Amino acid sequence: MDQQANQNGADAEPRLSRIQLRNRARIEEAALEVFSQHGFRGATLDQIAAEAGLSKPNILYYFAGKEEIHVTLLERLLETWLDPLVTLDAAGEPVAEILAYTRRKLDMARDYPRESRLFANEILQGAPNILPALKGALKSLVDEKAAVIRAWSDAGKIARVDPHHLIFSIWAMTQHYADFDVQVRAVLGEGRDPWTEAETHLMTHFRRVLTA
């Protein structure tokens, strides 16, 4: 048994020091900035190293290449992206639950614009790094919550809607404000807050859709 424990200890990954954890965090933060600006294909390890204030060999000490950094960011991002939908409660009041989900998605777009662009760029490239997750965890969660929305619709608690396309609409209308921030601000002009106005508009829009 001691031999097995020793073997397991030998196979376990070494625990990173505080400095190593801090350096990994710096690299991931720098990579997020670079990927969100240049996309995966346009980004280079030299750019990431410069943004992180570390040498390229130092980057390669922690990650095998930019592909590994990109996948690490996307996997973490996908978990974050799913959280707002996870909390949609089948026992709650239907319209309030869907509007709260919409508000959480809008808040996420406002608070994580770089992550939103990173995700959008990955999808536009055909999702080469996260397609299995899209077909797996994401699809399973969306199907589960779509069934909840369909049940509300069938029970007459909300208007008749296609639940999957309702969720797609929420995604599209909330992430637009992050992915096209420059365009939104240019059209609205100075002195207007796109996020406050977006929340007012989206709450009104989806309330009408759900109660029509």
Side-chain angles (χ1 to χ4, degrees):
M1 185 170 181
D2 290 341
Q3 183 177 0
Q4 182 65 39
N6 290 336
Q7 180 64 42
N8 290 338
D11 292 341
E13 294 185 5
R15 182 174 298 178
L16 296 178
S17 68
R18 193 171 296 177
I19 293 176
Q20 289 173 320
L21 289 172
R22 186 167 63 242
N23 283 344
R24 278 187 66 98
R26 285 174 63 183
I27 294 167
E28 291 176 14
E29 174 66 19
L32 176 59
E33 183 67 26
V34 172
F35 286 137
S36 68
Q37 289 185 32
H38 303 286
F40 175 73
R41 293 180 180 177
T44 67
L45 279 177
D46 288 327
Q47 290 171 326
I48 295 171
E51 183 71 27
L54 298 169
S55 68
K56 185 175 177 180
N58 210 334
I59 302 292
L60 293 172
Y61 172 81
Y62 293 98
F63 296 95
K66 75 171 186 176
E67 293 83 359
E68 184 180 353
I69 307 174
H70 193 244
V71 170
T72 298
L73 290 174
L74 285 170
E75 288 176 347
R76 189 177 66 195
L77 171 60
L78 191 57
E79 291 181 8
T80 303
W81 238 233
L82 294 178
D83 285 344
L85 187 56
V86 169
T87 55
L88 188 142
D89 186 1
E93 196 282 317
V95 173
E97 284 294 323
I98 294 171
L99 293 182
Y101 170 58
T102 303
R103 189 177 290 107
R104 290 193 297 272
K105 283 294 293 177
L106 185 64
D107 288 345
M108 181 169 288
R110 180 197 63 214
D111 296 340
Y112 301 99
R114 296 177 304 169
E115 288 84 349
S116 183
R117 289 192 293 271
L118 178 74
F119 188 78
N121 285 333
E122 171 70 7
I123 299 300
L124 288 172
Q125 296 300 322
N129 292 311
I130 60 169
L131 187 57
L134 298 183
K135 292 182 174 180
L138 178 64
K139 176 173 170 51
S140 295
L141 178 62
V142 171
D143 286 347
E144 174 191 335
K145 299 304 182 178
V148 171
I149 296 171
R150 183 176 290 108
W152 287 338
S153 182
D154 290 344
K157 295 181 179 180
I158 59 172
R160 181 68 61 180
V161 294
D162 183 301
H164 285 91
H165 289 283
L166 175 66
I167 293 172
F168 295 159
S169 294
I170 293 171
W171 291 352
M173 295 178 74
T174 54
Q175 286 180 229
H176 173 87
Y177 291 93
D179 299 341
F180 294 89
D181 176 74
V182 173
Q183 175 178 276
V184 169
R185 292 181 184 277
V187 172
L188 289 179
E190 295 183 5
R192 296 178 66 176
D193 181 355
W195 297 104
T196 299
E197 293 184 24
E199 180 174 350
T200 299
H201 170 72
L202 293 178
M203 294 303 102
T204 301
H205 171 77
F206 283 111
R207 187 180 298 278
R208 288 174 177 170
V209 168
L210 296 168
T211 59

